[in-house]
């Protein structure tokens, strides 16, 4: 304890001239108010009212900053642009008072905070009332300039705080109890989680939610990355601004839904190998209209139904899903698909059969997809123009062009091979 006080006093001596602070302590802190120590010179209020020039702060095992008796006047760090919090055991709820003070913060990283659960107030009960998204005027005004948030290995986290409209990137890894990624704006995911994800029920839920949510809560969000979020059963109201979506090892996601905002559902292009009528009434997933990259790595039985692809999509990589069909939305602009990688999708039977769909294709991999009996004719005709990389199972019809290339044939004999 004496050593910690000495470190804090040393930092406080030079704090007024620092622009970057990295403070990593051993995980032996106690958290009583009497033992909380401040790095800010509290005896000179006029000095800390002038604001610290600090723009980057990284804290590890610094419970004193966030405990019940934390003495830090966070207004002093009004110029802070990047804050990283690691292994803070006393962080149980989102630190609203801290967020309220950090008006210049652009990047927030929180990792290994095992006791963080979410907002201080109890979330609404999805069984007692339907919690509709809050209006724009009800949104939190904390962190008004936040552009990037990263949450890693917060094992108890259930809900997000109401992040601001300025957010551009969201990265969430290993938050196994998280039920909603868009804070109170997406209380709907709790409703979907309590329902049976049957082929008939889920589309009805998504339709109702999309029509009731008329606000674009994240007009600037371009990048969404989710991994190891096992309690997420749906990702609803995806903002139209998204350009990249990456989802991996989220065992229970069944629905992706974009904010339609009252627009009519676009028509889709034709496909081959349409499933039988008994299975064709499946849940349908809608994606943002400007999406350029989609990467989904699933577990067996996850994420089934029909995936509608926007024409803006350049990179598509899907592994292990229960999808039955991929369909491009018809529109005025030609498709921009450059890379198509599909692996271990045992129920996927239908690919787009539009001549325009593969005109820009430079990379093609289709492996371990037994329900695809043959490739669309327009794709077969395009095989000779794919110059960067091709990898296909040998049983597809019309593969004589591909199989005549021995240096590629050898690679196909090893399903585990990756570039």
């Amino acid at each position: 304890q004496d050593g910690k006080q000495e470190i804090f006093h040393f930092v406080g001596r030079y704090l007024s001239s620092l622009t970057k602070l990295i403070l990593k302590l051993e995980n032996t802190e106690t958290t009583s108010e009497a033992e909380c120590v401040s790095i800010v010179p509290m005896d000179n209020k006029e000095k800390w009212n002038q604001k610290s020039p600090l723009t980057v702060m990284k804290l590890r095992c610094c419970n004193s900053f966030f405990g019940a008796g934390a003495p830090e006047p966070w207004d002093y760090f009004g110029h802070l642009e990047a804050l990283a919090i690691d292994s803070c055991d006393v962080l149980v709820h989102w630190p609203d008072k801290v967020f309220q003070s950090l008006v210049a913060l652009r990047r927030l990283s929180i990792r290994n905070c095992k006791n963080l659960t979410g907002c201080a107030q109890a979330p609404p009960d999805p069984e007692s009332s339907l919690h509709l998204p809050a209006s724009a005027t009800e949104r939190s005004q904390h962190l008004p300039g936040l552009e990037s948030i990263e949450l890693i290995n917060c094992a108890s986290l259930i809900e997000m705080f109401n992040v601001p409209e300025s957010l551009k990137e969201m990265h969430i890894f290993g938050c196994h109890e998280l039920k909603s990624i868009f804070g109170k704006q997406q209380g709907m995911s709790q409703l979907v989680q309590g329902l049976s994800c049957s082929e008939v029920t889920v589309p009805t839920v998504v339709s109702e939610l999309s029509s009731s949510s008329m606000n674009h809560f994240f007009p600037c969000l371009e990048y969404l990355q989710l991994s190891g979020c096992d309690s997420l059963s749906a990702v609803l109201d995806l903002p139209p601004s998204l350009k990249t979506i990456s989802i991996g090892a989220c065992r229970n996601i069944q629905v992706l839904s974009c904010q339609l905002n009252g627009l009519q559902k676009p028509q889709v292009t034709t496909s081959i190998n349409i499933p039988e009528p008994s299975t064709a009434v499946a849940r349908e997933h809608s994606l943002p209209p400007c999406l350029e990259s989609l990467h989904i790595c699933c577990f067996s039985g996850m994420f089934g139904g029909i995936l509608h692809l926007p024409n803006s999509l350049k990179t598509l990589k899907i592994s292990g899903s229960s999808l039955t069909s991929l369909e491009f939305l018809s529109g005025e602009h030609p498709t921009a698909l450059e890379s198509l990688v599909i692996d271990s999708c045992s129920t996927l039977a239908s690919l787009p059969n539009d001549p325009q769909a593969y005109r820009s294709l430079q990379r093609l991999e289709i492996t371990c997809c037994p329900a695809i009996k043959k490739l669309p004719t327009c794709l077969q005709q395009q095989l000779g123009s794919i110059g960067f990389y091709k990898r296909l199972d040998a049983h597809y019809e019309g593969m004589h062009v591909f199989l005549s290339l021995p240096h590629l044939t050898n690679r196909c004999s090893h399903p585990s091979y990756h570039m």
Side-chain angles (χ1 to χ4, degrees):
Q1 181 68 22
D2 292 340
K4 185 182 70 174
Q5 290 182 353
E6 183 177 348
I7 292 174
F8 277 26
H9 289 315
F10 180 81
V11 172
R13 183 183 308 173
Y14 300 100
L15 190 60
S16 60
S17 60
L18 293 176
T19 59
K20 182 176 182 180
L21 173 63
I22 301 177
L23 188 58
K24 298 181 179 181
L25 303 179
E26 295 296 328
N27 194 18
T28 57
E29 285 195 87
T30 53
T31 57
S32 68
E33 291 190 26
E35 294 173 329
C36 285
V37 183
S38 174
I39 62 172
V40 176
M42 299 295 292
D43 57 341
N44 190 344
K45 187 173 182 178
E46 181 179 352
K47 182 176 181 180
W48 59 260
N49 273 341
Q50 297 176 358
K51 308 295 182 184
S52 165
L54 206 64
T55 59
V56 177
M57 180 185 290
K58 298 181 180 181
L59 305 174
R60 184 178 184 275
C61 297
C62 294
N63 288 336
S64 297
F65 281 72
F66 302 99
E72 299 302 334
W74 281 93
D75 288 341
Y76 181 67
F77 302 110
H79 297 300
L80 198 64
E81 296 181 3
L83 173 63
I85 304 171
D86 187 356
S87 303
C88 180
D89 293 343
V90 299
L91 195 62
V92 176
H93 302 299
W94 294 113
D96 288 338
K97 291 184 179 180
V98 175
F99 289 169
Q100 188 174 3
S101 301
L102 302 180
V103 294
L105 197 70
R106 296 173 55 194
R107 299 182 301 279
L108 175 64
S109 174
I110 300 178
R111 59 177 65 198
N112 302 317
C113 294
K114 62 182 181 181
N115 297 319
L116 177 64
T117 60
C119 300
Q121 64 273 25
D125 184 1
E127 297 181 357
S128 62
S129 64
L130 185 63
H131 180 61
L132 295 177
S135 67
T137 57
E138 295 176 299
R139 291 171 56 82
S140 170
Q141 298 301 311
H142 297 169
L143 308 178
L146 189 67
E147 296 180 356
S148 175
I149 184 168
E150 177 186 69
L151 303 174
I152 300 177
N153 295 334
C154 296
S156 302
L157 183 63
I158 296 176
E159 64 173 348
M160 291 285 294
F161 64 96
N162 284 353
V163 298
E165 294 181 352
S166 57
L167 194 71
K168 295 182 179 180
E169 298 183 8
M170 180 182 290
H171 309 262
I172 305 178
F173 305 90
C175 298
H176 301 292
E177 299 299 322
L178 186 65
K179 294 179 173 59
S180 171
I181 65 171
F182 291 143
K184 296 177 182 177
Q185 298 95 327
Q186 193 182 333
M188 298 300 182
S189 62
Q190 296 172 339
L191 173 64
V192 176
Q193 186 183 23
L195 295 174
S196 171
C197 289
S198 67
E199 301 298 328
V200 177
T201 302
V202 175
T204 303
V205 174
V206 174
S207 176
E208 291 175 354
L209 300 185
S210 298
S211 62
S212 65
S213 176
M214 300 301 292
N215 298 305
H216 290 175
F217 294 108
F218 301 94
C220 300
L221 189 64
E222 297 183 351
Y223 193 104
L224 174 62
Q225 187 174 21
L226 304 172
S227 180
C229 300
D230 293 339
S231 295
L232 276 178
S233 59
V235 182
L236 308 179
D237 289 331
L238 290 166
S241 56
L242 272 170
K243 294 183 178 180
T244 299
I245 298 176
S246 177
I247 300 176
C250 297
R251 296 176 181 271
N252 295 304
I253 290 182
Q254 298 292 337
V255 180
L256 290 181
S257 175
C258 180
Q259 295 173 353
L260 298 179
N261 202 35
L263 297 177
Q264 291 184 348
K265 181 180 174 181
Q267 298 297 315
V268 300
T269 61
T270 58
S271 300
I272 66 167
N273 304 327
I274 299 296
E276 295 297 324
S278 60
T279 61
V281 182
R283 49 186 177 266
E284 300 184 10
H285 310 276
S286 59
L287 297 173
C290 297
L291 192 69
E292 296 181 356
S293 178
L294 176 63
H295 181 191
I296 300 177
C297 182
C298 311
F299 292 92
S300 177
M302 167 192 162
F303 197 67
I306 301 171
L307 181 61
H308 296 305
L309 307 173
N311 291 342
S312 59
L313 196 66
K314 296 181 179 180
T315 301
L316 176 62
K317 185 175 183 179
I318 300 178
S319 175
S321 80
S322 295
L323 289 169
T324 58
S325 178
L326 300 178
E327 299 177 350
F328 271 106
L329 298 173
S330 59
E332 299 179 358
H333 303 287
T335 57
L337 191 63
E338 298 176 358
S339 177
L340 175 61
V341 179
I342 306 173
D343 177 59
S344 301
C345 296
S346 59
T347 59
L348 182 62
S350 177
L351 297 177
N353 194 29
D354 182 356
Q356 302 294 325
Y358 309 105
R359 292 176 67 95
S360 302
L361 200 62
Q362 292 298 311
R363 182 187 186 101
L364 175 64
E365 297 184 50
I366 302 178
T367 54
C368 302
C369 300
I372 301 179
K373 302 304 181 183
K374 66 176 182 178
L375 300 180
T377 301
C378 54
L379 178 55
Q380 293 186 37
Q381 295 172 347
Q382 201 68 26
L383 290 177
S385 302
I386 300 175
F388 179 64
Y389 184 67
K390 290 175 289 190
R391 179 183 175 217
L392 301 168
D393 283 342
H395 70 272
Y396 292 117
E397 297 179 10
M399 293 296 98
H400 58 277
V401 175
F402 172 73
L403 295 178
S404 66
L405 302 176
H407 63 290
L408 294 179
T409 305
N410 292 335
R411 291 178 179 177
C412 283
S413 63
H414 301 283
S416 62
Y417 177 81
H418 294 280
M419 285 290 286

